[in-house]
């Protein structure tokens, strides 16, 4: 249900990597320009001290930026891994609920081994939705089928909310 989330996190990660590389390149360019300027000119001692101060300040700022970007990249990768694990868990739950839904639709025998297996696996997740609606009297199991559909939708919303919260956390931490 929430396939774009890892893509958004990966896009942010790629953007930060590009910024990181850009800052590193800028530092190298600044240092090279400074060296070229020093080699081509013979500054006074006062100008040389001022140039050293400015260059030192620029280097410190650039290094701090690179360190900060590196931390953001590592944090985002961790959050992306958590998001991928959550996606996997929810997709597994969706698959199991879909199988239970199909088994309910075709009125599979409840005594069959596979049906028991699926019911046992999904019961903890389906229990809050059991008997949430009652089906028509002439269609046995239709209430269960509708309850599974409601469970599927509720877990889909929960999945989206969790991924949005992770994205919010990742974005918030990156702007601190």
């Amino acid at each position: 249900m929430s396939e774009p989330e890892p893509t958004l996190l990966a896009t942010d990660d790629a953007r930060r990597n590009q910024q990181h590389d850009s800052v590193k390149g800028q530092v190298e360019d600044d240092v090279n320009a400074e060296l070229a300027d020093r080699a081509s000119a013979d500054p006074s001692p006062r100008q040389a001290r001022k140039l050293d101060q400015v260059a030192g300040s620029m280097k410190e700022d650039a290094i701090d930026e690179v360190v900060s970007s590196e931390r953001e990249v590592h944090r985002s990768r961790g959050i992306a891994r958590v998001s991928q694990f959550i996606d996997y868990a929810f997709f597994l739950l969706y698959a199991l609920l879909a199988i239970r839904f199909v088994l309910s639709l075709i009125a599979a025998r409840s005594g069959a081994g596979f049906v028991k297996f699926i019911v046992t696996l999904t019961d903890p997740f389906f229990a809050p939705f059991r008997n949430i609606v009652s089906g028509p009297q002439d269609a046995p199991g239709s209430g269960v089928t509708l309850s599974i559909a409601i469970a599927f939708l509720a877990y889909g919303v929960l999945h989206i909310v969790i991924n949005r919260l992770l994205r919010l956390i990742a974005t918030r931490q990156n702007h601190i």
Side-chain angles (χ1 to χ4, degrees):
M1 282 217 131
S2 181
E3 191 99 36
E5 282 307 313
T7 304
L8 291 174
L9 289 173
T11 302
D12 282 348
D13 192 30
R15 181 185 51 81
R16 281 190 206 88
N17 283 333
Q18 186 178 18
Q19 286 176 339
H20 181 264
D21 292 341
S22 174
V23 169
K24 282 176 30 179
Q26 183 65 38
V27 169
E28 290 173 359
D29 291 346
D30 290 345
V31 170
N32 289 335
E34 178 186 335
L35 292 174
D37 287 346
R38 280 191 177 183
S40 66
D42 192 22
S44 69
R46 183 172 176 245
Q47 287 176 327
R49 274 195 310 274
K50 184 68 172 172
L51 184 59
D52 287 341
Q53 287 175 344
V54 170
S57 175
M58 286 176 60
K59 286 178 193 175
E60 274 185 47
D61 290 345
I63 289 170
D64 289 344
E65 179 72 25
V66 169
V67 168
S68 175
S69 293
E70 193 69 25
R71 284 185 190 137
E72 289 176 13
V73 167
H74 287 298
R75 190 177 306 124
S76 292
R77 285 181 183 154
I79 290 174
R81 292 288 179 243
V82 170
S83 179
Q84 287 173 343
F85 174 78
I86 288 171
D87 288 344
Y88 178 77
F90 271 99
F91 291 142
L92 183 62
L93 177 61
Y94 298 148
L96 291 171
L97 285 174
I99 292 170
R100 184 168 179 162
F101 181 80
V102 169
L103 292 173
S104 177
L105 273 178
I106 64 172
R109 288 185 310 121
S110 60
F114 182 72
V115 174
K116 285 181 183 178
F117 175 72
I118 294 297
V119 167
T120 301
L121 283 177
T122 58
D123 259 349
F125 302 101
F126 178 65
F129 304 97
R130 187 182 316 280
N131 299 326
I132 201 166
V133 293
S134 59
Q137 299 300 330
D138 59 348
S142 63
V144 172
T145 305
L146 191 53
S147 294
I148 293 171
I150 292 170
F152 202 95
L153 289 172
Y155 285 119
V157 169
L158 180 63
H159 185 188
I160 291 169
V161 167
I162 290 171
N163 272 333
R164 295 286 183 227
L165 284 173
L166 285 174
R167 179 134 172 91
L168 182 67
I169 290 168
T171 304
R172 188 177 142 256
Q173 286 180 346
N174 290 337
H175 292 294
I176 290 178

